[in-house]
Amino acid sequence: MPVYPVVAGKASCRVSGCVCRGRVPRYPSDLTDAQWKLLEPEARGVMAELRKGPGGAPMSHDLRAMLDAIGYVTRYGIEWRALPVDFPPWTAAYAFFERWSARELPRRLADRLRGRIRIACGRAELPTAAVIDAQTVRGSDTVPASSSGYDAGKKTKGRKRNIATDCLGLLLVVTVTAASVQDRDGAHRLLALLHERYSTISLVWADGGYAGRLVVWAKQALRLAVTIIKRTDNVTGFVLLPRRWVVERTFGWLVRHRRLVRDYERRPEHHEAMVWWATVAIMTRRLTRELAGTPPEPRRGQPRPDLKTA
């Protein structure tokens, strides 16, 4: 049931009582007109590629409203049942999320956007190097014990996100394992997927947790050179390590989305999908700025005035 009542007379969708086709963007997570103009052809193109063969009935709800609904859940971490009434019904939004995430719609969208961002930044469309790291996330009570574990190093029970990014911090691959899985063990599948999807990559940077047999295996099995960047023990305080800060910044981008601060998903593949949907939102905003030539907006309020000239 929706949280707020719907006025049937204002319905604009073929589904009874739904007002999604006449919806006006009103939340900070909603796509702007410029972002939707950029994202719409990419989304419809990916959906056409995935819908091979005879098509079924056309989509009842508005695609922009559906993407805004998923963006709202991802950004603010609410339950699906708590979607505001101006979005499509939560059952339809969740069905879209589950069906199209299983078909890797968000990952394919991110692939298209990443290539355009790299070209706009003066780089080749396909990356040749990557950075990997893992992040342990505390699991909610909805996470089953069969897919979660305890990370003794972080003293956290939940799951672990293993990601690979390019040199710009744009996500390439993500896998989700139990928190009890060691970084080097979880990286086997991560590197295998990275090699399968991006044959142009030959160099991978990682921290000291990946040293050992993983480096030898990657060289022999995948022909990937894994370079370990270790922290210097005799240096105190904060030290900016080369390359490693790139993937740490990506984790910072992701956890701005409250659905990713903790793991609420019953299935690991749904958590992976949430990471990809958050990445699509991040890349859409960035590509819109790159094409318009505008700087990023300040995170909190307006820039501080210059006290010397004020």
Side-chain angles (χ1 to χ4, degrees):
M1 294 293 294
V3 177
Y4 307 106
V6 183
V7 180
K10 296 183 179 180
S12 59
C13 180
R14 288 180 295 178
V15 179
S16 177
C18 181
V19 296
C20 69
R21 293 193 178 275
R23 180 179 179 275
V24 178
R26 63 190 66 189
Y27 307 111
S29 61
D30 288 341
L31 294 166
T32 64
D33 291 339
Q35 292 170 357
W36 176 239
K37 183 178 179 181
L38 182 150
L39 186 62
E40 181 182 14
E42 304 291 354
R44 296 194 184 279
V46 173
M47 291 177 69
E49 292 176 1
L50 298 177
R51 194 190 295 113
K52 296 180 179 179
M59 188 173 176
S60 299
H61 299 283
D62 182 60
L63 178 60
R64 179 175 180 177
M66 194 67 76
L67 295 181
D68 281 341
I70 296 177
Y72 189 92
V73 172
T74 307
R75 187 67 181 268
Y76 303 116
I78 66 167
E79 299 179 3
W80 287 100
R81 294 173 182 268
L83 270 175
V85 72
D86 54 330
F87 289 117
W90 76 268
T91 51
Y94 178 75
F96 179 90
F97 164 81
E98 188 176 34
R99 178 171 62 254
W100 288 105
S101 296
R103 301 180 186 180
E104 297 187 331
L105 170 66
R107 182 183 70 80
R108 293 173 180 267
L109 261 178
D111 288 344
R112 291 189 173 203
L113 295 173
R114 185 194 313 107
R116 295 183 61 181
I117 292 174
R118 289 181 59 85
I119 291 175
C121 293
R123 294 176 177 263
E125 181 178 0
L126 296 176
T128 58
V131 192
I132 64 173
D133 203 355
Q135 181 185 49
T136 301
V137 185
R138 189 180 301 277
S140 179
D141 56 353
T142 56
V143 177
S146 59
S147 61
S148 65
Y150 183 75
D151 186 344
K154 302 295 178 61
K155 295 181 174 58
T156 301
K157 182 180 180 181
R159 291 193 180 122
K160 184 175 290 186
R161 289 192 286 254
N162 306 275
I163 69 170
T165 71
D166 66 359
C167 293
L168 297 177
L170 305 176
L171 188 67
L172 298 173
V173 179
V174 57
T175 62
V176 175
T177 62
S180 55
V181 177
Q182 295 291 329
D183 290 359
R184 64 174 64 91
D185 296 331
H188 280 78
R189 178 168 175 260
L190 182 74
L191 291 179
L193 289 174
L194 185 68
H195 177 70
E196 177 185 347
R197 295 173 182 173
Y198 307 96
S199 59
T200 55
I201 293 179
S202 58
L203 176 62
V204 176
W205 289 287
D207 61 26
Y210 296 92
R213 61 181 181 273
L214 177 69
V215 178
V216 179
W217 173 82
K219 185 66 175 179
Q220 295 178 348
L222 305 177
R223 296 183 179 178
L224 285 177
V226 178
T227 301
I228 303 299
I229 302 175
K230 295 184 178 181
R231 185 183 303 273
T232 304
D233 296 333
N234 57 2
V235 176
T236 60
F238 174 76
V239 179
L240 184 63
L241 299 177
R243 302 298 180 180
R244 280 176 53 178
W245 65 270
V246 174
V247 68
E248 296 292 350
R249 183 184 59 176
T250 303
F251 281 132
W253 291 341
L254 292 175
V255 295
R256 292 182 188 175
H257 298 76
R258 295 188 178 182
R259 189 78 177 198
L260 301 179
V261 174
R262 296 188 67 178
D263 189 355
Y264 299 95
E265 313 306 325
R266 298 184 184 276
R267 297 162 57 182
E269 54 268 28
H270 282 183
H271 187 86
E272 293 178 12
M274 280 294 179
V275 174
W276 280 117
W277 282 114
T279 300
V280 169
I282 293 169
M283 289 186 179
T284 301
R285 291 194 297 268
R286 178 165 179 173
L287 182 57
T288 304
R289 293 196 308 265
E290 292 287 348
L291 296 179
T294 56
E297 297 181 359
R299 289 187 60 190
R300 297 178 180 88
Q302 299 298 323
R304 292 183 178 181
D306 189 352
L307 298 180
K308 296 181 180 179
T309 59

